Amino acid sequence: YRIASISKLITAIGLMKLHEQGAFALDDDVSNALGFTLRNPAFPAIPITYRMLLTHRSSLQDGTGYGSFLTATYAGTPPPSIQQLVAPGGTWYTANLWRTETPGSWFMYSNLNHGVIATLIEAHSGQRFDQYMRQQVLLPMGIGGSYNIQDLDDIGQLSVLYRNSNPQVDDLGGQMP
């Protein structure tokens, strides 16, 4: 289950498995797989690539719309499309999701990059992200975790994220939701 940014490493492994299978090249424009054009509005001629997302150089950042979008993903079935967050005119789009530097030129650690990567995994694999990751990455590696809490055999093994000794995420008190 989620263990802060360690989840990003595991997500990257999932994407790279698809790369090894020839699904895409690292410098391909991700728009082709997403089904919509992903561009920094200040640099519309510069494609966002898989390499940029993986190295936190896409120019995406966790702007003010990000938190509301995450809340909507927890509440909605199906969850809203990532396009509603990253494309101008989207329900949760805010201009500060994009940096002012040219895509590919500036490192900015961003959780949002990996939300896009998860969407790309779904597009290339044809599977829901949590199912693909469990079947193709976690179980083959002997890891009993999952991106879906319902897959966990022992809720007592759930990692709770803390900040300043206060639980922030996944404090379920040992009870399955």
Side-chain angles (χ1 to χ4, degrees):
Y1 204 61
R2 287 187 292 244
I3 306 176
S5 292
I6 293 172
S7 300
K8 290 178 182 65
L9 170 65
I10 302 298
T11 301
I13 291 169
L15 185 68
M16 292 307 293
K17 283 184 66 83
L18 292 164
H19 169 68
E20 287 177 346
Q21 295 167 8
F24 61 89
L26 289 175
D27 294 316
D28 285 351
D29 181 347
V30 299
S31 300
N32 299 325
L34 290 174
F36 67 92
T37 302
L38 181 65
R39 295 284 191 277
N40 181 324
F43 304 95
I46 300 175
I48 305 300
T49 68
Y50 295 82
R51 186 183 311 272
M52 288 177 187
L53 292 168
L54 286 165
T55 60
H56 297 273
R57 295 181 306 114
S58 68
S59 75
L60 280 168
Q61 62 184 0
D62 302 340
T64 55
Y66 182 69
S68 299
F69 174 77
L70 287 182
T71 299
T73 66
Y74 300 140
T77 303
S81 163
I82 195 94
Q83 182 178 7
Q84 290 296 313
L85 174 63
V86 298
T91 304
W92 294 277
Y93 176 82
T94 54
N96 67 352
L97 287 166
W98 293 101
R99 295 199 50 86
T100 58
E101 296 85 10
T102 307
S105 71
W106 187 265
F107 172 87
M108 177 63 187
Y109 186 85
S110 171
N111 296 305
L112 179 50
N113 284 318
H114 283 267
V116 176
I117 289 171
T119 303
L120 290 165
I121 288 172
E122 289 184 342
H124 286 294
S125 71
Q127 291 182 272
R128 204 173 70 195
F129 171 74
D130 63 309
Q131 294 172 353
Y132 172 84
M133 292 301 294
R134 184 161 170 83
Q135 294 168 5
Q136 299 298 318
V137 178
L138 297 170
L139 292 177
M141 292 174 69
I143 298 172
S146 177
Y147 283 84
N148 183 342
I149 198 166
Q150 302 303 327
D151 291 336
L152 300 179
D153 293 330
D154 180 2
I155 191 71
Q157 295 292 316
L158 180 66
S159 296
V160 178
L161 301 180
Y162 287 88
R163 180 171 290 139
N164 300 323
S165 300
N166 296 312
Q168 300 295 302
V169 179
D170 303 328
D171 184 19
L172 302 175
Q175 300 295 315
M176 272 293 193

